[in-house]
Amino acid sequence: MLKFVSILLIASGFFSGGVYFASRHTKKARVIGDILLMLSVIETQLRYACLPVPDLLRVLCETDKLSSLGFIIECKEKNGTGEAFPSAWRQAVEDDRELCSLLGEHKKYLVQLGADIGATDIDGQLGCCEYYKQIFEKELDLREENEKKYSKLYPALGLMLAVSAAIIII
């Protein structure tokens, strides 16, 4: 009986690990998609409303579809207490550990975006938005491809490891 329970626990652990790693790829693609949406909102607000940075942050915080990007709220709070926008943005991004782990090396582009917003005229900021959109669109394509590939691989691999572990224990 104890052997059966241990086999069941080990097998479910391996399978759950496979599902977890597959879900990480899905989260990565979703975060990049949310960042692209944020860039579109920034670009639209700059182009048509010429909003200053504090008002732009308010609009980003009020956009329901961006609620998964928690660093925006933190940045708004830091900026509201008098901290300069670029440093508040950088600190908020770096403090969001899950975001940093999901973005990997592309975190630097998100940090740099904060340094570019509000630093130049409207045309310069719109150019920056377009530049970062291109970077994150390429990354989204890669992440979606990986999601398709690994969303089926990792659960199956976890199941195979579970079966292997069960055979070894028996």
Side-chain angles (χ1 to χ4, degrees):
M1 182 66 171
L2 185 60
K3 192 183 247 187
F4 176 73
V5 171
S6 65
I7 289 171
L8 188 61
L9 288 173
I10 290 171
S12 65
F14 279 121
F15 181 71
S16 297
V19 170
Y20 169 76
F21 286 116
S23 72
R24 291 285 290 176
H25 285 283
T26 302
K27 281 184 181 179
K28 288 177 182 181
R30 190 172 52 237
V31 163
I32 298 292
D34 290 346
I35 289 171
L36 283 168
L37 177 62
M38 178 191 69
L39 285 166
S40 294
V41 169
I42 290 172
E43 188 175 32
T44 301
Q45 292 300 322
L46 288 174
R47 184 180 313 268
Y48 298 111
C50 299
L51 291 178
V53 173
D55 291 339
L56 185 60
L57 281 173
R58 181 185 46 76
V59 169
L60 290 174
C61 288
E62 291 172 354
T63 305
D64 291 335
K65 292 184 179 181
L66 297 177
S67 62
S68 63
L69 299 176
F71 74 92
I72 297 171
I73 294 170
E74 184 180 340
C75 178
K76 181 183 175 215
E77 291 170 357
K78 288 178 187 256
N79 190 248
T81 61
E83 188 172 343
F85 173 73
S87 63
W89 181 274
R90 181 183 43 77
Q91 192 64 39
V93 170
E94 289 174 352
D95 287 348
D96 194 340
R97 297 209 183 276
E98 183 179 9
L99 177 73
C100 291
S101 71
L102 291 173
L103 286 179
E105 64 187 41
H106 281 75
K107 175 189 86 166
K108 65 184 177 187
Y109 297 114
L110 188 59
V111 170
Q112 188 59 41
L113 172 67
D116 293 339
I117 296 297
T120 62
D121 64 347
I122 296 295
D123 290 332
Q125 292 177 67
L126 291 173
C128 289
C129 287
E130 188 59 38
Y131 170 72
Y132 291 116
K133 278 175 79 171
Q134 289 176 3
I135 289 172
F136 284 113
E137 283 172 351
K138 288 178 186 174
E139 182 65 12
L140 180 62
D141 291 342
L142 178 66
R143 298 284 172 108
E144 285 176 341
E145 182 181 317
N146 284 344
E147 177 187 1
K148 288 176 187 172
K149 188 183 331 178
Y150 295 123
S151 66
K152 295 177 184 173
L153 174 69
Y154 283 137
L157 186 60
L159 186 60
M160 293 301 290
L161 285 171
V163 169
S164 300
I167 290 172
I168 290 173
I169 290 175
I170 293 177

